[in-house]
Amino acid sequence: MSGSNNVSLNALLKKTEHYDKDERYMATSDLCEALKRHASAKGNAPSGVGSPGGVAVGGGGGGYGGSSYGHQSSQVIDTSTERRICTAVLKLLDDNSNDVQAIAVKTLGVLLTTVHEEQVIEIADRLCTLVLDAAKSELRDVYTIGLRTLVKTVPLQMGDLVSHRLVTRLVDGIRNNSTSSSSSSSSEGKTKSLVVLLPQLGEFDSSEFCEHLIAASDALTDADIRLRVVGIGDPSASREFCSFTGLDPDALRIDPDGSLHRALGLYSGPGFDIPDFVSDDALKFALNALPGGAPPDDDDGTSASQLRPVGKAWLNYLAMCAGIGAPGTLREILRGYFGDYDAPERFAEDDVVNAGFIAVGPGVGPVKMGPLEYTQWFADESGYQRPVELATVRLKNMVEVLTKWDRYVSNPSTISQRGGTYLFDDETGETLYEYRHRGVLTYSETMPRPLSFLSPYIDEDVARNPLGLPDSGGKTLGTRGRGILKPAGKAMGLLGPLFSAENRLQARASGADDADLAAAKERVESIISSNEIAVFTYGLSPFSSEAIAVLDEANAVYERVEAGLEWFLLDKEGSALRAALLDMTGQSSLPHVFVDGEHVGGLFTGPNDETRGGLAGLKESGELGRIVQGYETASTAAAADE
């Protein structure tokens, strides 16, 4: 090692501590240029490969302040001085001048291609420490840029070692990171850490998943589980996200470009790329049709350097939305629209969603689309995730993001990046649970109950239903009186006037006179007065068959009277019976259900077309079960008296 080189380098390092920010900037800039010359001379090889003795610096001219440093040729820096350079550059990341910080990051990128492997590891460790240091949170963006520079520029032959080191440090740091105040608070003594890596904070998965996590926060605290959430975004996205979801900002960490996600090898899509034959202009046109548009051109007027990376990210994301290379995505989208008997309710009674001219709520029933207002056909059902219920929640999340896109999505080149969920034992370091998301809206292995993996560690009721909304588990109420027949039955009610006219004409056409109608009415009255539950049906009608199935499911005792196979196959007696029922109830269609002599309607429609009418409505409200139980109790008491 040359003594003169060491002296001039020491002078240069001393200048990086100068009180004048311009002096610090110039010294750091000269250091960067010197390291660049060395990297160029060595073909960007690390010193451990090309110069076993240390860092060789030389060539070129015009060093800092006319010093001889820039004129040294092929001179080597010992390991001790090499470490001092690394320490000085990392220290400059804390500089109060943005310009000095920027040149320090640039110098760091060059330094990583010239120093020994052990120095690269030390730099990685130091950057991880700085990123995770809550006391330096105001500089976290700068440290993250440094970390990103490390990931992008580390020599290939060091890649495996450095990536393993980064993953270990960052995951451990997120798990154990706490401020000095929290070390003496309730976070002390936590035995487990739940680390959730979200995709973009503007991704619909993120707010949907966090809604469950926030609802389970008390249970996590009670079980000594500390929650740490990492999302792709910037401070603006973090503020918006926490404000919208209610997530504690102290629990959220920002990964601006998905570096941690990539270091962990998390999924980022099927790997499609923009073909070379697609011009930049065509790509800009396509991106401008998407949220956020195309990246602006670079300062020199050329196409944006991020144009194709953003285009690639959107291509992969849209492919995943279509289910390509994204297992479970289409199934989950359909589940949002068709409902799920195995999942709890998802939309609270006072929830309201407004999306342009569409308003849903309060609750899952009322819908207003401009001047049109109606009530969802499943509004009276409860205890499970009803059709379009989850889709409505996702609509709410979508409206939030799309109306604030620029605040939520700071780095569209990471839009296809997926997340992961990890549960660690803090005492042993053991990974208790790991799940890597591979699709859109597939943030859990068990989407109907996303936190069920926590059942061994927290209250099981919370793990299965953290939102605490009504939940039958698909067991209590069964599925009879629901499904596609319900909207069909509601629609049939619109044809009531037509069927009423046809009813009377058919009775007369079959030869039934007033005496026949009176006899039929007397028969109906006799049947309903002598039976607690009486049902008048058609033999081939799916609505009649479903009504009988509802009663059987409830273990009801009933009298069934079949008027005929179908309305168009009725004989004189059946037509008279149908007409008598119309005159008595005002309802033209079958089935007719009577309970304790009172007409409760058909399967889905009730007297005066009440929303919660009909036999299915009695079941959904629990009234049918109470009626049947009352009959059973009375029967048991009567048998005991005998």
Side-chain angles (χ1 to χ4, degrees):
M1 183 191 75
S2 167
S4 61
N5 175 60
N6 206 31
V7 171
S8 58
L9 181 57
N10 286 336
L12 187 59
L13 291 174
K14 186 175 181 180
K15 286 288 187 180
T16 64
E17 300 176 354
H18 199 279
Y19 69 88
D20 188 328
K21 67 178 182 180
D22 292 334
E23 294 287 331
R24 298 195 302 273
Y25 179 89
M26 293 173 61
T28 309
S29 179
D30 270 354
L31 179 59
C32 181
E33 292 303 316
L35 292 172
K36 277 184 181 180
R37 288 192 293 273
H38 168 64
S40 177
K42 294 299 180 182
N44 289 323
S47 59
V49 176
S51 78
V55 180
V57 181
Y64 173 82
S67 74
S68 61
Y69 177 74
H71 299 278
Q72 302 300 322
S73 177
S74 206
Q75 296 185 3
V76 177
I77 303 172
D78 61 30
T79 302
S80 175
T81 306
E82 181 181 300
R83 183 174 289 109
R84 289 184 57 221
I85 297 175
C86 295
T87 300
V89 173
L90 289 171
K91 183 178 179 181
L92 289 167
L93 295 177
D94 288 350
D95 200 277
N96 56 17
S97 166
N98 292 337
D99 290 338
V100 176
Q101 290 177 357
I103 193 64
V105 170
K106 182 178 179 181
T107 305
L108 181 66
V110 180
L111 184 63
L112 288 166
T113 66
T114 63
V115 297
H116 284 88
E117 186 175 83
E118 58 267 26
Q119 289 301 317
V120 174
I121 296 299
E122 285 189 24
I123 291 173
D125 281 343
R126 178 60 178 158
L127 284 172
C128 288
T129 299
L130 292 170
V131 166
L132 295 165
D133 188 351
K136 293 180 176 291
S137 59
E138 73 280 359
L139 292 170
R140 186 168 288 139
D141 288 347
V142 177
Y143 301 145
T144 304
I145 293 172
L147 196 58
R148 178 174 59 186
T149 301
L150 170 66
V151 172
K152 287 183 175 180
T153 59
V154 67
L156 290 176
Q157 53 267 55
M158 298 184 192
D160 289 343
L161 179 62
V162 172
S163 63
H164 180 269
R165 185 68 174 180
L166 282 176
V167 170
T168 302
R169 283 299 314 278
L170 289 174
V171 172
D172 286 348
I174 293 169
R175 182 174 24 166
N176 298 317
N177 182 25
S178 62
T179 63
S180 58
S181 61
S182 66
S183 65
S184 59
S185 67
S186 60
S187 65
E188 185 176 8
K190 299 297 182 187
T191 60
K192 298 178 183 66
S193 290
L194 176 59
V195 180
V196 176
L197 280 83
L198 300 173
Q200 282 271 0
L201 291 178
E203 172 64 87
F204 310 141
D205 298 42
S206 299
S207 50
E208 188 175 317
F209 194 9
C210 276
E211 188 176 356
H212 292 280
L213 294 170
I214 295 164
S217 59
D218 288 344
L220 293 173
T221 300
D222 292 343
D224 289 338
I225 298 176
R226 179 165 37 200
L227 175 63
R228 288 289 179 263
V229 179
V230 181
I232 299 175
D234 62 9
S236 174
S238 174
R239 289 190 295 271
E240 292 289 347
F241 186 78
C242 291
S243 175
F244 177 64
T245 63
L247 180 67
D248 183 354
D250 290 338
L252 180 62
R253 299 290 183 269
I254 297 301
D255 184 5
D257 62 354
S259 298
L260 179 58
H261 295 65
R262 291 195 300 276
L264 288 168
L266 296 177
Y267 191 60
S268 60
F272 298 147
D273 207 345
I274 303 295
D276 292 338
F277 64 78
V278 176
S279 68
D280 286 355
D281 287 341
L283 186 55
K284 288 179 184 177
F285 179 81
L287 289 176
N288 281 327
L290 296 170
D297 290 342
D298 291 338
D299 293 339
D300 60 4
T302 60
S303 293
S305 56
Q306 284 296 301
L307 179 63
R308 289 191 173 266
V310 170
K312 177 181 178 180
W314 269 112
L315 176 62
N316 283 274
Y317 181 72
L318 293 175
M320 287 193 292
C321 289
I324 301 171
T329 296
L330 293 182
R331 180 176 66 248
E332 186 56 27
I333 292 173
L334 292 175
R335 192 177 74 90
Y337 285 101
F338 287 97
D340 188 345
Y341 286 120
D342 293 325
E345 292 183 19
R346 194 61 181 78
F347 202 68
E349 290 185 356
D350 57 351
D351 279 351
V352 176
V353 171
N354 291 290
F357 66 94
I358 301 174
V360 181
V364 78
V367 177
K368 184 176 182 180
M369 301 177 65
L372 176 64
E373 296 185 40
Y374 65 93
T375 298
Q376 303 276 23
W377 53 266
F378 46 79
D380 62 338
E381 299 179 9
S382 62
Y384 75 104
Q385 180 195 301
R386 295 152 292 186
V388 308
E389 182 174 10
L390 181 56
T392 303
V393 173
R394 290 169 176 168
L395 174 63
K396 176 180 68 175
N397 296 338
M398 182 176 68
V399 170
E400 166 70 13
V401 172
L402 292 181
T403 56
K404 303 175 182 178
W405 181 267
D406 291 338
R407 278 178 273 177
Y408 271 106
V409 182
S410 58
N411 189 346
S413 65
T414 62
I415 199 168
S416 63
Q417 180 66 60
R418 301 295 90 191
T421 304
Y422 303 85
L423 182 65
F424 300 104
D425 187 312
D426 291 345
E427 296 178 359
T428 66
E430 178 186 1
T431 301
L432 302 174
Y433 176 81
E434 175 180 343
Y435 172 68
R436 295 165 177 257
H437 318 169
R438 288 187 57 82
V440 178
L441 299 173
T442 58
Y443 49 82
S444 172
E445 284 183 288
T446 53
M447 285 301 297
R449 301 178 185 275
L451 300 188
S452 59
F453 70 92
L454 290 171
S455 291
Y457 312 102
I458 67 174
D459 182 277
E460 179 151 4
D461 289 340
V462 176
R464 288 178 54 80
N465 182 13
L467 299 178
L469 295 174
D471 178 15
S472 68
K475 300 175 183 178
T476 304
L477 297 177
T479 60
R480 291 300 185 178
R482 295 174 172 175
I484 193 62
L485 282 179
K486 193 165 190 176
K490 298 283 187 182
M492 292 289 285
L494 300 176
L495 301 176
L498 178 63
F499 284 135
S500 294
E502 184 280 330
N503 184 314
R504 294 183 174 89
L505 288 173
Q506 182 178 359
R508 295 301 180 185
S510 67
D513 55 21
D514 290 343
D516 294 319
L517 294 177
K521 180 178 180 181
E522 185 177 344
R523 181 188 175 199
V524 171
E525 290 174 340
S526 174
I527 292 171
I528 64 177
S529 65
S530 58
N531 293 278
E532 293 167 338
I533 300 177
V535 190
F536 296 84
T537 68
Y538 294 133
L540 298 180
S541 166
F543 298 101
S544 294
S545 299
E546 188 71 4
I548 296 302
V550 170
L551 291 170
D552 288 341
E553 185 181 65
N555 296 317
V557 177
Y558 56 89
E559 178 70 15
R560 178 178 184 178
V561 179
E562 190 171 299
L565 292 178
E566 257 296 354
W567 65 270
F568 53 85
L569 297 174
L570 296 178
D571 57 14
K572 175 182 175 181
E573 182 181 359
S575 296
L577 180 65
R578 179 185 179 216
L581 286 166
L582 171 61
D583 289 340
M584 295 173 66
T585 66
Q587 176 182 309
S588 61
S589 61
L590 272 66
H592 281 269
V593 182
F594 293 84
V595 177
D596 283 337
E598 180 183 353
H599 184 246
V600 299
L603 177 59
F604 298 117
T605 56
N608 302 317
D609 197 26
E610 295 175 359
T611 302
R612 291 183 178 271
L615 184 62
L618 286 179
K619 171 200 162 181
E620 296 296 346
S621 67
E623 185 64 22
L624 179 61
R626 289 189 288 272
I627 290 171
V628 171
Q629 182 64 40
Y631 291 156
E632 291 177 350
T633 301
S635 177
T636 301
D641 290 341
E642 293 177 0

